[in-house]
Amino acid sequence: MEHEVHTNGKEEVRIGFYICHCGSNIGGTIDVAAVADYVRTLPGVVVSKDYKYMCSNAGQDMIVEDIEINRLNRIVVAACSPLLHEKTFRSATHKGGINPFFFHMVNIREHGSWVHEDKALATEKAKAVARGAVGRVRFHKALEKRKEPVTQSVLIVGGGIAGIQAAQTLSNAGKKVYLVEREPTIGGHMALFDKTFPTLDCAACILTPKMTDIGSDPNITLWSYAEVVDVKGYVGNFTAQIRHKPRYIKEDLCVGCLDCIDNCVFKQGNTDDEFNQSLSKRKPVYIPFPQAVPKLVVIDPEACTHLNGGKCEQSCATACERDAIDFNQKESFDDIEVGTVIVTTGFKTFDAARKPLYGYGRYDNVYTALEVERLVTSSGPTGGEVVLRDGRRPKTVAIVHCVGSRDHQTNRWCSRVCCMYSLKLAHLIKEHTGAEVFNFYIDMRCAGKGYEEFYERLLEEGNRFVRGRVAEVTDVPVSAEEEGKLVVKVEDSLAGFVRRIPVDMVVLSTGLEPRQDASNVRRMFNISCSSEGFFLERHPKLAPISTTTDGVFIAGCCQGPKDIPDTVAQAGFAAGEAMALLDKGFVEMEPMTSFVNEELCSGCKTCIGLCPFSAITRDDAKEVAVINPVLCKGCGVCVAACPSGAITQNLFEDCEIFAEIEEVLAHA
Amino acid sequence: MGSIQREIRLESDRDPGFADEIRSMPGCEHLDRCIQCATCSGVCPLSVYMDHTPRRIMELTRDGFKDDVLRSNTIWLCASCYECQAECPMEVGVTDVMVALKNKAIASGVAPKDVPTPVLAREFFRMVRETGRVSEGKLVQRLYLKTGPAKFFGMIGLGRDLMRTGRFSLRSERMKRPEDLQRVLDGTPGVGK
Amino acid sequence: MKYAYYPGCSLKASGKAFEESLLAVCSALEIELAELDDWNCCGATAYMAVDETKGAALASRNLALAEQTGLDMAVPCAGCYGVLLKAQAMQRKYPRLADQVSVGLKAGGLTYGGRVRVKHPLEILAMDFGTKAFRSRVKVPLKGLRVACYYGCRLVRPESPFDDSHDPVTMDNLLKSVGARIVDYTLKSKCCGGSLTGTIPEVGQNLCYQLLKEAQRREADVVATACPLCQFNLECYQKDIARKYTDLKPIPVVYFTQLLGASLGLDPVALGFPRLIVPIEPILRERGIMAKAGTEPAKAGV
């Protein structure tokens, strides 16, 4: 067929159009052959084909070959979402020998076949959007990606097991790491545990050596009792500001001898010990636990008499031979430059008081699982004795699963770890006390290596399992056997009747939820949260530790509830991705940034305040706006806002957009 | 050992449309969300007397075991205290389902004749239409006449106390113009008068 | 302050003392309760059990009447309160049902636009009038009186517009503010059996026994209620219950408005004290809240 010569005013335009069946995903609803036939009639279109799977090698090769044979200089693919395969087809276009930005993609799957039922109308819509794409692509210009070097260091936010694992992996590869932890010590929740399921490994024995290694690793700058307060920049070139809270201890002088603690005027603790879940008291000058890393004491300004303006002989300061105590210490700041960031800020446990029927806070003998973790730990407040607040040893114990989890009134999700940690605690309580232990569960979720076997072991050890979500814990007796006890009211749903079981101790297996300040962290690192507040991964299957911001990775429970093995695996993955960026050495910047036509710009500054990425400044000498292409993310806000029409965005130029609109409307 | 009955349920015992009927009634749309956690049964103050616990009623209803459900004493022991509904972690309208089941049981005539609760409901329904209000004394009278006059005598002491304190009267409490209400009730689609 | 007052059937019969004390308290505080003209029964749970749609129309007739007054609605009976809230919620959520109800109302020459705020006197006194303002009117603080606050079910469930449905506190705070000692009463919103206590006594009375027993165990002097059915079940069946469960001692069960009225120094007869089967005067005298030199309890009017 003779082809009519078509130009865009500068060159002859020769367009190749390809429409994908995506199996039956598109082909089942849209008459793809009809669309291809239609597009073939449009001016400038030299090739128009339909194919089963355009993203396959054969599909891509077809584009490459057609470019060569038919001297194509523009490509349009109508298929799925550009999020999935724009890169694929751009590189095919590039492989064919033309600039990759002479390509345009139309989404006829998510925006077409998947959302329409009327086949004829869906086909017409596909024709319209295809015609729009053909209309706009002729105006596309050749664009080049920019390359920027990557700063060879990584910021890790949060020093729990996820942060520790990622830091170690990166350090092993010789990378420079800044590890920032909010608490006085690293270790996170894992440091609170006695044993780990299902192997009953001593948690401290496997964690504390890692912590010590972190503390002495020359590649790792460990800043505990510190917070990231500001982050700027972009993948490869972030700057972050770290705020160091005053410890009232000169960190370079303190050797962790603990003489100050021994000599504090308070001979007994005077304030709740957070590390022991407030089951014991600590002094105002303290170290969270003996294996803390860094091994530095902290003075709690709330509890310290002197720092509260009271009269105190300051015996701690006198006792310190190295004069390390500094009551005048102020907060300080560090600014650092890093190439990538790994966010490992962890989780918080559900506040059991939010389920009033379980009586937490009302009845002394109702505990959270984390409190019981401390009770079973030999270094805990009772030296590993599982005793009630009145010193008695419980003879019967109820472990209540799913507290705050699988509950539309609180958190809808399954917290994943509670079944297993409940089994672990059941085992440990039984081992420590010989008590009869009841587990009340909705479903036992023991999916993991060795987990089901552990459940079986617990069954054989004589632990009791009652299938039913506990309705209520009460101290109101209805019979003699209930006097002086806590009564668990539950339907034994396998037996089919309601039971009242008197116990001495109730353990609430509270779920995991996002930290309270997760939304601040999210904003600071410009990442997303899913509806429940956990940080959102870029793709649940294929990019589980990436975020919507390039160069910012997430790992561990800040992304969603998970156990230690999964956390460690994710942390390693995140470290690997960070390393890949560092070792590549440069990042490529997408070219669809905006630029200012200085002749049209009046210097009115409208755009400057609107830019969400702080990419625009004003050149006061020339009195015009200047856009930093490195910071510009191509959102287009400035383009729309500019009263003089002085800003243009690559790939979204007026001629391109108007052509697309006109052609779409021309079909309709 | 008493008589042995078939306890297995066959597919032919199910009425698949039944669950749809219930789901279409107010408050019952989340019936299928139930994860059988048994919180409803546990909090229910009356589940200790029920032949099927509320959890089982949810399961039997959504699977269409209409006969088991409508003949159960559970729905007539439900005091509508809404504790199950307030505590349900899946926000299933457990109490609302119970109300829907009561409606179905009465409409299909399978409500037990000797259990006072459905009798009370029917008498109440009738009295409200007649007078627009409920006269407690008259209602109790009618109830005992239908379900067992003997019980009435057990209440003599209570009656005397109520008389003495001026809290009991056989005088009919009624609207000035019950016909105003009757027009509303008769104009609303639903079961008969 | 003025409200469209919907008493409900019980407040005209066994629950007279609730109406008497409520009206006395409100009039002392200059809160006007204007009774709705020719209101009808709310339907209670019994009517809904037969036909939910007609039940909604029945309740909504009262809402429509209240809407004409342009006032918020004061509904003291927790049963009526729950039914009216439910009728509102159902119509908001289910347009089909709302249509059916409006067809019925139209047949009676009425419309309902969904704009009425249904309020329980607890909410009116604690929130609208205000606990602080109330405290300033107190003449006889209920000092030392140990009260178990019993909310029952329908006041706070399935959801409450003014309190926590799992652990309500409004009555606790109100009575605490007039000097009462509130005992820790975890059964505060457990069920009293409702109409079952009358129809299947062996079932309902056991529930009442547990409620009373716990109040006794917590050394409460009195149980305060906010619902005529709760009050009836807990007080009027007490003798029957004590015959079956011999460890139960008599305990007065009153309306919270009766206690509030006493704190305002109102006349015991006006507060409906003579209507109590288990008299409250002895404990009030013992605690020095009522003068010891009182005469015989006054006779109840019929």
Side-chain angles (χ1 to χ4, degrees), chain A residues 41 60 150 199 232 271 278 297 363 383 498 523 580 594 659:
Chain A
T41 66
Q60 295 181 50
V150 173
T199 48
K232 288 202 176 71
T271 192
S278 302
V297 297
Y363 305 126
V498 177
R523 268 192 295 277
S594 301

Side-chain angles (χ1 to χ4, degrees), chain A residues 95-415:
Chain A
K95 210 169 158 193
I98 58 176
N99 185 283
F101 293 92
F102 284 143
F103 160 81
H104 192 69
M105 188 162 182
V106 230
N107 182 355
I108 54 164
R109 195 177 72 173
E110 284 83 346
H111 293 177
S113 60
W114 278 359
V115 289
H116 297 300
E117 282 172 4
D118 186 314
K119 292 183 181 178
L121 286 175
T123 303
E124 285 310 300
K125 180 175 170 183
K127 284 180 188 173
V129 291
R131 180 168 174 172
V134 166
R136 87 158 355 241
V137 78
R138 73 186 58 155
F139 294 106
H140 277 205
K141 298 192 176 70
L143 299 169
E144 296 301 329
K145 288 187 175 181
R146 301 168 52 96
K147 278 187 181 179
E148 292 286 331
V150 173
T151 309
Q152 294 295 306
S153 58
V154 181
L155 167 63
I156 299 178
V157 189
I161 182 60
I164 288 171
Q165 183 68 32
Q168 277 191 323
T169 307
L170 286 160
S171 168
N172 287 345
K175 305 299 174 195
K176 170 80 194 142
V177 175
Y178 297 93
L179 178 58
V180 178
E181 166 60 45
R182 172 186 290 174
E183 301 296 328
T185 176
I186 57 171
H189 280 95
M190 190 176 168
L192 302 171
F193 304 157
D194 179 39
K195 300 276 173 65
T196 56
F197 60 75
T199 48
L200 299 176
D201 282 312
C202 159
C205 309
I206 57 179
L207 178 67
T208 49
K210 282 172 99 70
M211 290 167 59
T212 315
D213 289 349
I214 294 269
S216 58
D217 190 324
N219 285 334
I220 300 173
T221 301
L222 169 60
W223 284 326
S224 70
Y225 217 44
E227 283 174 326
V228 181
V229 289
D230 190 34
V231 179
K232 288 202 176 71
Y234 53 93
V235 54
N237 297 277
F238 292 103
T239 59
Q241 187 170 63
I242 317 298
R243 182 172 78 94
H244 301 277
K245 292 179 271 190
R247 272 193 157 89
Y248 305 103
I249 300 290
K250 291 176 184 147
E251 304 190 0
D252 47 339
L253 294 180
C254 176
V255 289
C257 71
L258 314 184
D259 282 352
C260 50
I261 301 179
D262 292 340
N263 286 285
C264 175
V265 292
F266 289 101
K267 292 300 157 215
Q268 301 289 324
N270 71 335
T271 192
D272 280 351
D273 185 345
E274 307 87 347
F275 194 80
N276 278 336
Q277 304 299 302
S278 302
L279 291 170
S280 64
K281 300 280 184 189
R282 63 159 170 77
K283 297 181 181 182
V285 53
Y286 71 103
I287 188 162
F289 69 112
Q291 294 89 6
V293 172
K295 198 171 182 184
L296 295 171
V297 297
V298 194
I299 299 179
D300 174 355
E302 304 287 317
C304 171
T305 311
H306 178 66
L307 285 171
N308 266 312
K311 261 200 165 164
C312 179
E313 58 186 74
Q314 299 170 39
S315 48
C316 55
T318 325
C320 181
E321 287 176 3
R322 298 173 62 88
D323 284 334
I325 293 187
D326 174 8
F327 284 115
N328 296 316
Q329 204 172 55
K330 298 277 178 290
E331 63 178 14
S332 63
F333 295 88
D334 264 303
D335 291 302
I336 56 170
E337 292 185 352
V338 295
T340 76
V341 178
I342 303 176
V343 178
T344 53
T345 47
F347 64 96
K348 84 186 241 301
T349 50
F350 174 79
D351 172 12
R354 286 176 62 199
K355 296 306 288 182
L357 289 187
Y358 291 162
Y360 182 74
R362 180 191 290 277
Y363 305 126
D364 272 353
N365 295 335
V366 177
Y367 291 80
T368 66
L370 216 46
E371 288 168 347
V372 176
E373 289 280 359
R374 296 310 297 155
L375 288 183
V376 295
T377 309
S378 52
S379 60
T382 54
E385 283 285 309
V386 178
V387 288
L388 301 169
R389 286 192 168 88
D390 62 7
R392 278 186 305 136
R393 190 180 265 211
K395 292 196 182 70
T396 42
V397 178
I399 301 182
V400 180
H401 292 219
C402 296
V403 178
S405 305
R406 303 184 72 189
D407 185 344
H408 281 239
Q409 298 179 15
T410 54
N411 298 327
R412 280 179 61 182
W413 57 91
C414 165
S415 293

Side-chain angles (χ1 to χ4, degrees), chain B residues 129-182:
Chain B
R129 193 179 177 283
E130 283 164 18
T131 66
R133 293 189 191 166
V134 169
S135 311
E136 290 171 349
K138 283 216 151 94
L139 186 65
V140 171
Q141 226 179 359
R142 285 195 200 175
L143 180 67
Y144 285 127
L145 282 174
K146 298 235 163 158
T147 61
K151 280 192 202 161
F152 192 68
F153 296 103
M155 294 290 165
I156 285 178
L158 172 60
R160 208 183 295 128
D161 280 342
L162 292 174
M163 290 288 205
R164 174 172 62 80
T165 53
R167 294 167 68 173
F168 183 81
S169 152
L170 284 175
R171 193 167 55 92
S172 179
E173 174 70 31
R174 52 189 301 132
M175 286 172 70
K176 285 179 272 182
R177 298 173 300 276
E179 62 277 11
D180 285 358
L181 174 65
Q182 282 158 14

Side-chain angles (χ1 to χ4, degrees), chain B residues 27 29 87 103 132 167 176 191, chain C residues 37-38 41 48-49 94 166:
Chain B
E29 64 273 17
E87 298 304 332
N103 279 205
R167 294 167 68 173
K176 285 179 272 182
V191 300
Chain C
D37 180 48
D38 219 22
C41 169
M48 286 263 182
Y94 306 102
H166 309 276

Side-chain angles (χ1 to χ4, degrees), chain B residues 46 76-80 115 117 120, chain C residues 191-205 207 229 233:
Chain B
L46 295 146
W76 300 111
L77 280 168
C78 169
S80 297
V115 180
T117 330
L120 174 80
Chain C
C191 177
C192 71
S195 58
L196 283 181
T197 306
T199 50
I200 316 180
E202 56 276 32
V203 171
Q205 291 188 4
L207 297 180
L229 191 52
N233 282 341

Side-chain angles (χ1 to χ4, degrees), chain A residues 31-43:
Chain A
D31 183 348
V32 287
V35 178
D37 289 344
Y38 170 75
V39 172
R40 198 172 296 121
T41 66
L42 299 173

